[in-house]
Amino acid sequence: MRLEHALEDWQQAVGTGPRDEPLGNWNHTRGVARIVRTFHELLALLVSLWLGITAR
């Protein structure tokens, strides 16, 4: 579920870019950072699961 949501957010962030408002660039950058953090957490989980399987 988190991955699906992060992918949807990524498509929107890349497709639309920052909004033309006073904090548009800030909000866009913050949103992209949140997406990257989610991707990083999920990738770390997958790697730890893979290492746990291959270590046996």
Side-chain angles (χ1 to χ4, degrees), residues 15-44:
T16 60
R19 293 186 178 151
D20 189 23
E21 56 185 43
L23 293 176
N25 287 335
W26 169 260
N27 289 331
H28 180 74
T29 304
R30 187 170 178 256
V32 170
R34 222 175 23 246
I35 295 164
V36 170
R37 181 183 66 209
T38 301
F39 286 164
H40 181 266
E41 290 171 356
L42 293 172
L43 182 61

